[in-house]
Coordinates of all heavy atoms in Angstrom, one line a residue:
I1417 N 131.3 -4.4 168.1 CA 132.7 -4.6 167.7 C 133.3 -5.7 168.6 O 133.2 -5.6 169.8 CB 133.5 -3.3 167.8 CG1 132.9 -2.3 166.9 CG2 134.9 -3.6 167.5 CD1 133.6 -0.9 167.0
D1418 N 133.9 -6.7 167.9 CA 134.6 -7.7 168.6 C 136.1 -7.4 168.6 O 136.7 -7.5 167.5 CB 134.3 -9.1 168.0 CG 134.9 -10.2 168.8 OD1 135.3 -10.0 169.9 OD2 135.0 -11.3 168.2
V1419 N 136.7 -7.2 169.8 CA 138.1 -6.8 169.8 C 138.8 -7.9 170.6 O 138.4 -8.2 171.7 CB 138.3 -5.5 170.5 CG1 139.8 -5.2 170.7 CG2 137.6 -4.4 169.8
T1420 N 139.8 -8.5 170.0 CA 140.6 -9.5 170.7 C 142.0 -8.9 170.9 O 142.6 -8.4 170.0 CB 140.8 -10.8 169.8 OG1 139.5 -11.3 169.4 CG2 141.6 -11.9 170.5
V1421 N 142.4 -9.0 172.2 CA 143.7 -8.5 172.6 C 144.7 -9.6 172.8 O 144.4 -10.5 173.6 CB 143.6 -7.6 173.9 CG1 144.9 -7.1 174.3 CG2 142.6 -6.5 173.6
A1422 N 145.7 -9.6 172.1 CA 146.8 -10.6 172.2 C 147.5 -10.4 173.5 O 147.8 -9.2 173.9 CB 147.7 -10.6 171.0
P1423 N 147.9 -11.4 174.3 CA 148.6 -11.2 175.5 C 150.0 -10.7 175.1 O 150.6 -11.0 174.1 CB 148.7 -12.6 176.1 CG 148.4 -13.6 175.0 CD 147.6 -12.8 174.0
A1424 N 150.5 -9.9 176.0 CA 151.9 -9.4 175.8 C 152.9 -10.5 175.9 O 152.7 -11.4 176.7 CB 152.2 -8.3 176.9
A1425 N 153.9 -10.4 175.1 CA 155.0 -11.4 175.1 C 155.7 -11.3 176.4 O 156.0 -10.2 176.9 CB 155.9 -11.2 173.9
A1426 N 156.0 -12.4 177.0 CA 156.8 -12.4 178.3 C 158.2 -12.0 178.0 O 158.8 -12.4 177.0 CB 156.8 -13.8 178.9
L1427 N 158.8 -11.2 178.9 CA 160.2 -10.7 178.7 C 161.1 -11.6 179.5 O 160.9 -11.9 180.7 CB 160.3 -9.3 179.2 CG 159.5 -8.3 178.4 CD1 159.7 -6.9 179.0 CD2 160.0 -8.3 176.9
N1428 N 162.1 -12.1 178.9 CA 163.1 -12.9 179.6 C 164.0 -12.0 180.5 O 164.4 -10.9 180.1 CB 164.0 -13.5 178.5 CG 165.1 -14.5 179.1 OD1 164.9 -15.0 180.2 ND2 166.2 -14.7 178.4
T1429 N 164.2 -12.5 181.7 CA 165.1 -11.8 182.6 C 166.3 -12.8 182.9 O 166.1 -14.0 182.9 CB 164.4 -11.4 183.9 OG1 163.9 -12.6 184.6 CG2 163.3 -10.4 183.7
A1430 N 167.4 -12.2 183.3 CA 168.6 -13.1 183.6 C 168.3 -13.9 184.8 O 167.6 -13.5 185.7 CB 169.8 -12.1 183.8
P1431 N 169.0 -15.0 184.9 CA 168.9 -15.8 186.1 C 169.3 -15.0 187.4 O 170.2 -14.2 187.2 CB 169.8 -17.0 185.9 CG 170.0 -17.1 184.4 CD 169.9 -15.7 183.9
L1432 N 168.7 -15.3 188.5 CA 169.2 -14.7 189.8 C 170.2 -15.6 190.4 O 169.9 -16.8 190.5 CB 168.0 -14.5 190.7 CG 166.9 -13.5 190.2 CD1 165.7 -13.5 191.2 CD2 167.5 -12.1 190.0
V1433 N 171.3 -15.1 190.8 CA 172.4 -15.9 191.3 C 172.9 -15.4 192.6 O 173.1 -14.2 192.8 CB 173.6 -15.9 190.3 CG1 174.8 -16.7 190.9 CG2 173.2 -16.4 188.9
A1434 N 173.0 -16.3 193.6 CA 173.5 -15.9 194.9 C 174.6 -17.0 195.3 O 174.3 -18.2 195.4 CB 172.4 -15.9 196.0
A1435 N 175.8 -16.5 195.4 CA 176.9 -17.4 195.6 C 177.0 -17.8 197.1 O 177.6 -18.8 197.4 CB 178.2 -16.8 195.2
G1436 N 176.4 -17.1 198.0 CA 176.4 -17.4 199.4 C 177.3 -16.4 200.1 O 177.9 -15.5 199.6
P1437 N 177.4 -16.6 201.5 CA 178.1 -15.7 202.3 C 179.6 -15.9 202.2 O 180.1 -17.0 201.9 CB 177.6 -16.0 203.7 CG 177.3 -17.4 203.6 CD 176.7 -17.6 202.2
D1438 N 180.4 -14.8 202.4 CA 181.8 -15.0 202.5 C 182.2 -16.0 203.6 O 181.4 -16.2 204.5 CB 182.5 -13.6 202.8 CG 182.3 -12.6 201.7 OD1 181.9 -13.0 200.6 OD2 182.5 -11.4 202.0
A1439 N 183.4 -16.6 203.5 CA 183.7 -17.7 204.3 C 185.2 -17.7 204.7 O 186.0 -17.1 204.1 CB 183.3 -19.0 203.7
R1440 N 185.5 -18.6 205.7 CA 186.8 -18.9 206.1 C 187.0 -20.4 206.2 O 186.0 -21.1 206.6 CB 187.1 -18.3 207.5 CG 187.4 -16.9 207.6 CD 187.7 -16.5 209.0 NE 187.9 -15.0 209.0 CZ 188.7 -14.4 209.8 NH1 189.4 -15.1 210.7 NH2 188.8 -13.1 209.7
V1441 N 188.1 -20.9 205.8 CA 188.4 -22.3 205.8 C 189.9 -22.6 205.9 O 190.7 -21.7 205.6 CB 187.8 -23.0 204.5 CG1 188.6 -22.6 203.3 CG2 187.7 -24.5 204.6
L1442 N 190.2 -23.8 206.4 CA 191.6 -24.2 206.5 C 192.1 -24.8 205.2 O 191.3 -25.4 204.5 CB 191.8 -25.2 207.6 CG 191.5 -24.8 209.0 CD1 191.6 -25.9 210.0 CD2 192.4 -23.6 209.4
V1443 N 193.3 -24.6 204.8 CA 193.9 -25.1 203.6 C 193.6 -26.6 203.6 O 193.8 -27.3 204.6 CB 195.4 -24.9 203.5 CG1 196.0 -25.6 202.4 CG2 195.7 -23.4 203.4
G1444 N 193.2 -27.1 202.4 CA 192.9 -28.5 202.2 C 191.6 -29.0 202.8 O 191.3 -30.2 202.5
T1445 N 190.9 -28.2 203.5 CA 189.6 -28.6 204.0 C 188.5 -28.2 203.0 O 188.4 -27.0 202.7 CB 189.3 -28.0 205.4 OG1 190.4 -28.3 206.3 CG2 188.0 -28.4 206.0
P1446 N 187.7 -29.1 202.6 CA 186.6 -28.7 201.6 C 185.6 -27.7 202.3 O 185.2 -27.9 203.4 CB 185.9 -30.1 201.3 CG 186.9 -31.1 201.6 CD 187.7 -30.6 202.8
L1447 N 185.3 -26.7 201.5 CA 184.4 -25.7 201.9 C 183.0 -26.0 201.3 O 183.0 -26.1 200.0 CB 184.8 -24.3 201.5 CG 183.9 -23.1 201.8 CD1 183.6 -22.9 203.2 CD2 184.4 -21.9 201.1
A1448 N 182.0 -26.1 202.0 CA 180.6 -26.4 201.4 C 180.1 -25.1 200.8 O 180.1 -24.0 201.5 CB 179.7 -26.8 202.5
L1449 N 179.8 -25.1 199.6 CA 179.2 -24.0 198.8 C 177.7 -24.3 198.6 O 177.4 -25.4 198.1 CB 179.9 -23.8 197.5 CG 181.4 -23.5 197.6 CD1 182.0 -23.5 196.2 CD2 181.7 -22.2 198.3
D1450 N 176.9 -23.4 199.0 CA 175.4 -23.6 198.9 C 174.9 -22.4 198.1 O 174.1 -21.6 198.6 CB 174.8 -23.6 200.3 CG 173.4 -24.2 200.2 OD1 173.0 -24.8 199.2 OD2 172.6 -23.9 201.2
G1451 N 175.3 -22.3 196.8 CA 174.8 -21.3 195.9 C 173.3 -21.5 195.5 O 172.8 -22.6 195.7
L1452 N 172.7 -20.5 195.0 CA 171.3 -20.6 194.6 C 171.2 -19.9 193.3 O 171.6 -18.8 193.0 CB 170.4 -19.8 195.7 CG 169.0 -19.8 195.4 CD1 168.4 -21.2 195.4 CD2 168.3 -18.9 196.4
V1453 N 170.5 -20.6 192.3 CA 170.2 -20.1 191.0 C 168.7 -20.2 190.8 O 168.2 -21.3 190.9 CB 171.0 -20.8 189.9 CG1 170.6 -20.3 188.5 CG2 172.5 -20.6 190.1
T1454 N 168.0 -19.2 190.4 CA 166.6 -19.2 190.0 C 166.5 -18.6 188.7 O 167.2 -17.7 188.3 CB 165.7 -18.6 191.1 OG1 166.1 -17.2 191.2 CG2 165.8 -19.2 192.4
D1455 N 165.5 -19.0 187.9 CA 165.3 -18.5 186.6 C 163.8 -18.5 186.3 O 163.0 -19.2 186.9 CB 166.0 -19.5 185.6 CG 165.9 -18.9 184.2 OD1 166.3 -17.8 184.0 OD2 165.5 -19.7 183.3
D1456 N 163.4 -17.6 185.3 CA 162.0 -17.4 185.0 C 161.5 -18.4 184.0 O 160.4 -18.4 183.6 CB 161.8 -16.0 184.5 CG 162.6 -15.7 183.2 OD1 163.3 -16.6 182.7 OD2 162.7 -14.5 182.8
G1457 N 162.4 -19.4 183.5 CA 162.0 -20.4 182.5 C 162.0 -19.9 181.1 O 161.6 -20.7 180.2
L1458 N 162.4 -18.7 180.9 CA 162.5 -18.2 179.5 C 164.0 -18.1 179.1 O 164.8 -17.8 180.0 CB 161.8 -16.8 179.4 CG 160.3 -16.8 179.7 CD1 159.8 -15.4 179.8 CD2 159.6 -17.6 178.7
P1459 N 164.3 -18.2 177.9 CA 163.4 -18.6 176.8 C 163.1 -20.1 176.9 O 163.9 -20.9 177.5 CB 164.3 -18.4 175.5 CG 165.7 -18.5 176.0 CD 165.7 -18.0 177.4
A1460 N 162.0 -20.5 176.4 CA 161.5 -21.9 176.4 C 162.6 -22.7 175.7 O 163.0 -22.3 174.6 CB 160.2 -22.0 175.8
G1461 N 163.0 -23.8 176.3 CA 164.0 -24.6 175.6 C 165.5 -24.1 175.7 O 166.4 -24.6 175.1
G1462 N 165.7 -23.0 176.5 CA 167.0 -22.4 176.6 C 168.0 -23.3 177.2 O 167.6 -24.2 178.0
A1463 N 169.2 -23.2 176.9 CA 170.3 -24.0 177.5 C 170.7 -23.5 178.8 O 171.5 -22.6 178.9 CB 171.5 -24.1 176.5
R1464 N 170.1 -24.0 179.9 CA 170.4 -23.5 181.2 C 171.6 -24.2 181.8 O 171.8 -25.4 181.6 CB 169.2 -23.8 182.1 CG 168.1 -22.8 181.8 CD 166.7 -23.3 182.4 NE 165.6 -22.4 182.1 CZ 165.2 -22.2 180.9 NH1 165.7 -22.8 179.8 NH2 164.2 -21.3 180.7
A1465 N 172.5 -23.4 182.4 CA 173.7 -24.0 182.9 C 174.2 -23.1 184.0 O 173.9 -21.9 184.1 CB 174.8 -24.1 181.8
Q1466 N 175.0 -23.7 184.9 CA 175.6 -22.9 186.0 C 177.0 -23.5 186.3 O 177.2 -24.7 186.0 CB 174.8 -23.0 187.3 CG 174.5 -24.4 187.7 CD 173.3 -24.5 188.6 OE1 172.5 -23.6 188.7 NE2 173.1 -25.6 189.2
S1467 N 177.9 -22.6 186.7 CA 179.2 -23.2 187.0 C 180.0 -22.3 188.0 O 179.8 -21.0 188.1 CB 180.0 -23.3 185.7 OG 180.2 -22.0 185.1
W1468 N 180.8 -22.9 188.8 CA 181.7 -22.2 189.7 C 183.1 -22.1 189.0 O 183.5 -23.0 188.3 CB 181.9 -23.0 191.0 CG 180.8 -23.0 191.9 CD1 179.8 -24.0 192.0 CD2 180.5 -22.0 192.9 NE1 178.9 -23.6 193.0 CE2 179.3 -22.4 193.5 CE3 181.1 -20.8 193.3 CZ2 178.7 -21.7 194.6 CZ3 180.5 -20.1 194.3 CH2 179.3 -20.5 194.9
A1469 N 183.8 -21.0 189.4 CA 185.2 -20.8 188.8 C 185.9 -19.8 189.8 O 185.3 -18.9 190.4 CB 185.1 -20.2 187.4
P1470 N 187.2 -20.0 189.9 CA 188.0 -19.1 190.7 C 188.2 -17.8 189.9 O 188.3 -17.8 188.6 CB 189.4 -19.8 190.8 CG 189.4 -20.8 189.7 CD 188.0 -21.1 189.4
V1471 N 188.1 -16.6 190.6 CA 188.4 -15.3 189.9 C 189.8 -14.9 190.2 O 190.5 -14.5 189.3 CB 187.3 -14.3 190.4 CG1 187.7 -12.9 189.8 CG2 185.9 -14.7 190.0
R1472 N 190.2 -15.0 191.5 CA 191.6 -14.6 191.9 C 191.9 -15.3 193.2 O 191.0 -15.6 194.0 CB 191.8 -13.1 191.9 CG 191.1 -12.4 192.9 CD 191.4 -10.9 192.8 NE 190.5 -10.1 193.6 CZ 189.4 -9.5 193.2 NH1 189.0 -9.7 191.9 NH2 188.6 -8.9 194.0
G1473 N 193.2 -15.4 193.4 CA 193.7 -16.0 194.6 C 195.1 -16.5 194.4 O 195.6 -16.6 193.3
P1474 N 195.7 -16.9 195.5 CA 197.2 -17.2 195.4 C 197.5 -18.6 195.0 O 198.6 -19.0 194.7 CB 197.6 -17.0 196.9 CG 196.4 -17.3 197.7 CD 195.3 -16.8 196.9
G1475 N 196.4 -19.5 194.8 CA 196.7 -20.9 194.4 C 195.5 -21.5 193.7 O 194.5 -20.8 193.5
P1476 N 195.6 -22.8 193.5 CA 194.6 -23.5 192.8 C 193.3 -23.7 193.7 O 193.4 -23.8 194.9 CB 195.2 -24.8 192.4 CG 196.3 -25.0 193.5 CD 196.8 -23.7 193.8
V1477 N 192.2 -23.8 193.0 CA 190.9 -24.1 193.6 C 190.3 -25.3 192.9 O 190.3 -25.3 191.6 CB 189.9 -22.9 193.6 CG1 188.6 -23.3 194.3 CG2 190.5 -21.7 194.2
S1478 N 189.9 -26.3 193.6 CA 189.2 -27.4 192.9 C 187.8 -27.5 193.4 O 187.5 -27.4 194.6 CB 190.0 -28.7 193.1 OG 190.1 -29.1 194.4
F1479 N 186.8 -27.7 192.5 CA 185.4 -27.8 192.9 C 185.0 -29.3 192.6 O 185.3 -29.9 191.6 CB 184.6 -26.9 192.0 CG 184.9 -25.5 192.1 CD1 185.9 -24.8 191.3 CD2 184.3 -24.7 193.1 CE1 186.2 -23.5 191.5 CE2 184.6 -23.4 193.3 CZ 185.6 -22.8 192.5
A1480 N 184.3 -29.9 193.6 CA 183.9 -31.3 193.5 C 182.9 -31.4 192.3 O 183.0 -32.4 191.6 CB 183.2 -31.7 194.8
A1481 N 182.0 -30.5 192.1 CA 181.0 -30.5 191.0 C 180.9 -29.1 190.6 O 179.9 -28.4 191.0 CB 179.7 -31.1 191.5
P1482 N 181.7 -28.6 189.7 CA 181.7 -27.2 189.3 C 180.4 -26.8 188.6 O 180.1 -25.6 188.6 CB 182.9 -27.0 188.4 CG 183.3 -28.4 188.0 CD 182.8 -29.3 189.1
G1483 N 179.6 -27.7 188.1 CA 178.4 -27.4 187.4 C 177.2 -27.4 188.3 O 176.1 -27.4 187.8
S1484 N 177.4 -27.6 189.6 CA 176.3 -27.6 190.5 C 176.4 -26.4 191.5 O 177.5 -26.1 192.0 CB 176.4 -28.9 191.3 OG 175.4 -28.9 192.3
A1485 N 175.3 -25.8 191.8 CA 175.3 -24.6 192.7 C 175.7 -25.1 194.1 O 176.3 -24.3 194.8 CB 173.9 -24.0 192.7
A1486 N 175.3 -26.3 194.5 CA 175.7 -26.8 195.8 C 176.8 -27.8 195.6 O 176.6 -28.9 195.0 CB 174.5 -27.5 196.5
T1487 N 178.0 -27.5 196.1 CA 179.2 -28.3 195.9 C 180.2 -28.0 197.0 O 179.8 -27.4 198.0 CB 179.8 -28.1 194.5 OG1 180.8 -29.1 194.3 CG2 180.3 -26.8 194.3
T1488 N 181.4 -28.5 196.8 CA 182.5 -28.1 197.7 C 183.6 -27.5 196.9 O 183.8 -27.9 195.7 CB 183.0 -29.2 198.6 OG1 183.5 -30.3 197.8 CG2 181.9 -29.8 199.5
A1489 N 184.4 -26.7 197.6 CA 185.7 -26.2 197.0 C 186.8 -26.4 197.9 O 186.7 -26.3 199.2 CB 185.5 -24.7 196.7
T1490 N 188.0 -26.8 197.4 CA 189.2 -27.0 198.2 C 190.3 -26.1 197.6 O 190.5 -26.0 196.4 CB 189.6 -28.5 198.1 OG1 188.5 -29.3 198.5 CG2 190.8 -28.8 199.0
F1491 N 190.9 -25.4 198.5 CA 191.9 -24.4 198.2 C 193.3 -24.9 198.5 O 193.6 -25.5 199.5 CB 191.6 -23.1 199.0 CG 190.2 -22.6 198.7 CD1 189.2 -23.1 199.4 CD2 190.0 -21.6 197.7 CE1 187.9 -22.6 199.1 CE2 188.8 -21.2 197.4 CZ 187.7 -21.7 198.2
G1492 N 194.2 -24.7 197.5 CA 195.6 -25.2 197.6 C 196.6 -24.5 198.5 O 197.6 -25.1 198.9
L1493 N 196.4 -23.2 198.7 CA 197.3 -22.4 199.4 C 196.6 -21.4 200.3 O 195.4 -21.0 200.0 CB 198.2 -21.5 198.5 CG 199.2 -22.3 197.6 CD1 199.8 -21.4 196.6 CD2 200.2 -23.0 198.4
P1494 N 197.2 -21.0 201.4 CA 196.5 -20.0 202.3 C 196.5 -18.6 201.5 O 197.3 -18.3 200.7 CB 197.4 -19.9 203.5 CG 198.7 -20.5 203.2 CD 198.5 -21.4 202.0
G1495 N 195.5 -17.8 201.9 CA 195.3 -16.5 201.3 C 193.9 -16.1 201.1 O 193.0 -16.8 201.5
R1496 N 193.7 -15.1 200.4 CA 192.3 -14.6 200.1 C 192.0 -14.9 198.6 O 192.7 -14.6 197.7 CB 192.3 -13.1 200.3 CG 190.9 -12.5 200.0 CD 190.8 -11.1 200.6 NE 190.5 -11.3 202.0 CZ 190.2 -10.3 202.9 NH1 190.2 -9.1 202.4 NH2 189.9 -10.6 204.1
Y1497 N 190.8 -15.6 198.5 CA 190.3 -16.0 197.1 C 189.0 -15.3 196.9 O 188.2 -15.0 197.8 CB 190.1 -17.5 197.1 CG 191.4 -18.3 197.2 CD1 192.0 -18.5 198.4 CD2 191.9 -18.9 196.1 CE1 193.2 -19.3 198.5 CE2 193.0 -19.7 196.2 CZ 193.6 -19.9 197.4 OH 194.8 -20.7 197.5
V1498 N 188.7 -15.1 195.6 CA 187.4 -14.7 195.1 C 187.0 -15.8 194.2 O 187.7 -16.2 193.2 CB 187.4 -13.4 194.4 CG1 186.0 -13.0 193.9 CG2 187.8 -12.3 195.4
I1499 N 185.8 -16.4 194.4 CA 185.2 -17.4 193.5 C 183.9 -16.9 193.1 O 183.2 -16.1 193.7 CB 185.2 -18.8 194.2 CG1 184.3 -18.8 195.4 CG2 186.6 -19.3 194.5 CD1 184.1 -20.2 196.0
E1500 N 183.4 -17.4 191.9 CA 182.2 -16.9 191.3 C 181.3 -18.0 190.8 O 181.8 -19.0 190.3 CB 182.7 -16.1 190.0 CG 181.6 -15.5 189.2 CD 182.1 -14.6 188.2 OE1 182.8 -15.1 187.2 OE2 181.9 -13.4 188.2
L1501 N 180.0 -17.8 191.0 CA 179.0 -18.7 190.5 C 178.3 -18.0 189.4 O 177.8 -16.8 189.5 CB 178.0 -19.1 191.6 CG 176.8 -19.9 191.2 CD1 177.2 -21.3 190.6 CD2 175.8 -20.1 192.3
T1502 N 178.3 -18.6 188.2 CA 177.7 -18.0 187.0 C 176.6 -18.9 186.5 O 176.7 -20.1 186.5 CB 178.8 -17.8 185.9 OG1 179.8 -17.0 186.4 CG2 178.2 -17.2 184.6
A1503 N 175.5 -18.2 186.0 CA 174.4 -19.0 185.4 C 173.9 -18.3 184.1 O 174.0 -17.1 184.0 CB 173.3 -19.1 186.4
T1504 N 173.4 -19.2 183.2 CA 172.9 -18.7 182.0 C 171.5 -19.4 181.7 O 171.3 -20.5 182.1 CB 173.8 -18.9 180.8 OG1 173.2 -18.3 179.6 CG2 174.1 -20.3 180.6
D1505 N 170.7 -18.7 181.0 CA 169.4 -19.3 180.6 C 169.4 -19.6 179.1 O 168.4 -19.9 178.5 CB 168.2 -18.4 181.0 CG 168.2 -17.1 180.3 OD1 169.0 -16.8 179.4 OD2 167.3 -16.3 180.6
G1506 N 170.6 -19.5 178.5 CA 170.7 -19.7 177.1 C 170.8 -18.4 176.3 O 171.3 -18.3 175.2
E1507 N 170.3 -17.3 176.9 CA 170.4 -15.9 176.3 C 171.1 -15.0 177.2 O 172.0 -14.2 176.7 CB 169.0 -15.4 176.1 CG 168.3 -15.8 174.8 CD 166.9 -15.1 174.6 OE1 166.5 -14.3 175.5 OE2 166.3 -15.4 173.6
L1508 N 170.8 -15.0 178.5 CA 171.3 -14.0 179.4 C 172.2 -14.7 180.5 O 171.9 -15.8 180.8 CB 170.2 -13.2 180.1 CG 169.2 -12.5 179.1 CD1 168.0 -11.9 179.9 CD2 169.9 -11.4 178.4
V1509 N 173.2 -14.0 181.0 CA 174.1 -14.5 181.9 C 174.2 -13.6 183.1 O 174.1 -12.4 183.0 CB 175.5 -14.6 181.3 CG1 176.5 -15.1 182.3 CG2 175.5 -15.5 180.1
S1510 N 174.3 -14.2 184.3 CA 174.5 -13.4 185.5 C 175.4 -14.2 186.5 O 175.6 -15.4 186.3 CB 173.2 -13.0 186.2 OG 172.5 -14.1 186.5
S1511 N 176.0 -13.5 187.4 CA 176.9 -14.1 188.3 C 177.0 -13.4 189.6 O 176.5 -12.3 189.8 CB 178.3 -14.2 187.7 OG 178.8 -12.9 187.5
D1512 N 177.6 -14.1 190.6 CA 177.8 -13.5 192.0 C 179.1 -14.1 192.5 O 179.4 -15.2 192.2 CB 176.6 -13.9 192.9 CG 176.6 -13.1 194.2 OD1 177.1 -12.0 194.2 OD2 176.2 -13.7 195.2
T1513 N 179.8 -13.3 193.3 CA 181.1 -13.8 193.8 C 181.0 -13.9 195.3 O 180.1 -13.3 196.0 CB 182.2 -12.8 193.5 OG1 181.9 -11.5 194.0 CG2 182.4 -12.7 192.0
L1514 N 181.9 -14.6 195.9 CA 182.1 -14.7 197.3 C 183.6 -14.7 197.6 O 184.4 -15.1 196.8 CB 181.4 -15.8 198.0 CG 181.8 -17.2 197.8 CD1 182.8 -17.7 198.8 CD2 180.6 -18.1 197.9
L1515 N 183.9 -14.1 198.8 CA 185.3 -14.0 199.2 C 185.6 -15.1 200.2 O 184.8 -15.4 201.1 CB 185.5 -12.6 199.9 CG 186.8 -12.3 200.5 CD1 187.9 -12.1 199.5 CD2 186.7 -11.0 201.4
V1516 N 186.7 -15.8 200.1 CA 187.1 -16.9 201.0 C 188.5 -16.6 201.5 O 189.4 -16.5 200.7 CB 187.1 -18.3 200.2 CG1 187.4 -19.4 201.2 CG2 185.7 -18.5 199.6
D1517 N 188.6 -16.5 202.8 CA 189.9 -16.4 203.5 C 190.3 -17.8 203.9 O 189.6 -18.5 204.6 CB 189.8 -15.5 204.7 CG 189.7 -14.1 204.4 OD1 190.4 -13.6 203.4 OD2 188.9 -13.4 205.0
V1518 N 191.4 -18.3 203.3 CA 191.9 -19.6 203.6 C 193.1 -19.5 204.5 O 194.1 -18.8 204.3 CB 192.4 -20.3 202.2 CG1 192.9 -21.7 202.5 CG2 191.2 -20.3 201.3
L1519 N 193.0 -20.2 205.6 CA 194.0 -20.1 206.7 C 195.0 -21.3 206.7 O 194.6 -22.4 206.2 CB 193.3 -20.0 208.1 CG 192.2 -18.9 208.2 CD1 191.5 -19.1 209.5 CD2 192.8 -17.6 208.0

């Protein structure tokens, strides 16, 4: 008997996202963000994207390159901010946040 076993289909998992450690920075001073996004490469041809966004805080946040995991953020007012790095592989989405105290 000749038995051929088809390989199991690979299962897509969400990208792994690490926004980095919580930080402190002075108002108006760019904060270096060194986020990390890894993905399993599935689905093939998926629309991979990542982006930074403010979640909450007392003022505006500007990102030098919001579509890059490694960028800088500048905060407009003193206070406590939460910012988020989000990534997608075209099917699944994941994110991570970090806390920034702006002095």
